[in-house]
Amino acid sequence: MSIPRFTPRQAVGNRLKARGETFEDMRVGKKVLLTWTEKWAEELASTLGATPAPRTMFIDTFWLRTVDTPEGGITVAFAPIGAPGTIMLMEDLIACGAESFVGVGASGGLNPNHPVGDVLIPNTVKILDEGTSVHYPDQGDPTGDQEMIKTLSGLIEKYGGRTTTGDWWTTDGFYREMTDDIALHMENGILGIDMETSAMYRVAQHRGVSACNILVVSDELWIEWNYGIDFSEFKTGVTAMQQAAIEWAQS
């Protein structure tokens, strides 16, 4: 039987050793809010009162901040964009005790009924166009945690956001979202597109942890590219998404 040459825990342990630290120095909460936008990470950490925690990586760019709670703590993680870097960090955090993940990010929208500012929740990833998931055992289409999807949907609506859940597309090729592929996937009912969800859901299934991504529509892809990060609707959606993520983390 083929097995990995080294495990995430071994890798983290060696990085810590090189810095004169141990696992006892790590402060990783059972709940993780993982985002790819540093400004959002700073806002989430500030609202939660999270303070800097030791990094699992050598690079300074990506960081962790944690707040202790009676339920096991909450970590805000500023993560690398794309499936490979995100999964490296996610695996590290699982090795340090993380049990559930909410990805707080942005997405391209493929459904005209859900324009810029709506918060989409990937349910099942039907289109896997990234290369990380295939390195994990195939357990069928990567699917988010159903209880988390239900809870987060209700919280987004509570805070005034428009939301829905549905089938998803994850890709490595940010600049290769081709018009014919978009048309085909729209016809097949795909709700949106990002760069991390399929791998996050596959790893969660493999490691026995929970994951659900909440992704505000930043750009519309169904006719002409409509990039909306300066729209008021986008800012409203971001606020609702962040408030929902914070309440989930504190519950």
Side-chain angles (χ1 to χ4, degrees):
M1 180 179 69
S2 182
I3 61 174
R5 177 61 68 189
F6 58 91
T7 67
R9 189 169 179 85
Q10 287 175 317
V12 173
N14 277 287
R15 295 183 211 125
L16 292 171
K17 182 180 178 181
R19 298 202 305 255
E21 299 169 334
T22 68
F23 277 100
E24 285 67 38
D25 298 307
M26 295 300 296
R27 294 174 54 237
V28 174
K30 289 184 177 181
K31 288 186 172 183
V32 176
L33 299 181
L34 188 152
T35 185
W36 303 268
T37 301
E38 189 167 22
K39 179 176 182 290
W40 295 356
E42 290 171 346
E43 291 169 346
L44 291 167
S46 176
T47 300
L48 289 165
T51 58
R55 294 171 286 105
T56 66
M57 299 181 177
F58 283 124
I59 189 169
D60 292 333
T61 306
F62 307 106
W63 48 258
L64 308 175
R65 296 181 191 172
T66 296
V67 58
D68 297 325
T69 68
E71 295 75 28
I74 305 162
T75 290
V76 176
F78 173 46
I81 292 174
T86 293
I87 294 315
M88 183 177 178
L89 178 58
M90 186 176 174
E91 285 270 40
D92 290 351
L93 296 177
I94 294 169
C96 293
E99 296 179 357
S100 54
F101 294 79
V102 169
V104 182
S107 67
L110 273 68
N111 187 321
N113 294 322
H114 296 285
V116 167
D118 279 20
V119 183
L120 307 183
I121 304 181
N123 183 15
T124 301
V125 184
K126 295 293 188 180
I127 312 299
L128 280 70
D129 265 348
E130 45 80 22
T132 303
S133 296
V134 296
H135 294 283
Y136 289 83
D138 186 349
Q139 301 178 49
D141 294 331
T143 301
D145 182 274
Q146 297 301 296
E147 188 61 34
M148 290 174 70
I149 289 173
K150 180 180 177 180
T151 298
L152 287 159
S153 294
L155 289 173
I156 291 164
E157 291 175 348
K158 172 182 174 179
Y159 288 107
R162 282 169 41 96
T163 187
T164 192
T165 184
D167 291 341
W168 204 255
W169 174 16
T170 298
T171 183
D172 279 340
F174 184 77
Y175 291 115
R176 305 300 291 175
E177 297 172 16
M178 312 302 278
T179 55
D180 53 348
D181 290 331
I182 290 169
L184 175 62
H185 298 331
M186 285 180 63
E187 184 178 339
N188 290 329
I190 300 299
L191 182 63
I193 180 172
D194 80 326
M195 299 182 70
E196 297 87 14
T197 295
S198 56
M200 290 177 67
Y201 286 5
R202 177 65 60 79
V203 169
Q205 290 170 327
H206 177 62
R207 296 295 184 192
V209 300
S210 303
C212 175
N213 285 354
I214 52 177
L215 308 171
V216 62
V217 176
S218 59
D219 50 316
E220 301 163 355
L221 303 175
W222 48 82
I223 302 179
E224 297 294 333
W225 186 46
N226 187 24
Y227 193 45
I229 63 168
D230 58 345
F231 293 6
S232 62
E233 293 87 350
F234 179 75
K235 296 171 185 176
T236 297
V238 169
T239 298
M241 176 177 66
Q242 290 183 339
Q243 290 174 324
I246 288 165
E247 181 162 336
W248 169 83
Q250 292 179 324
S251 64

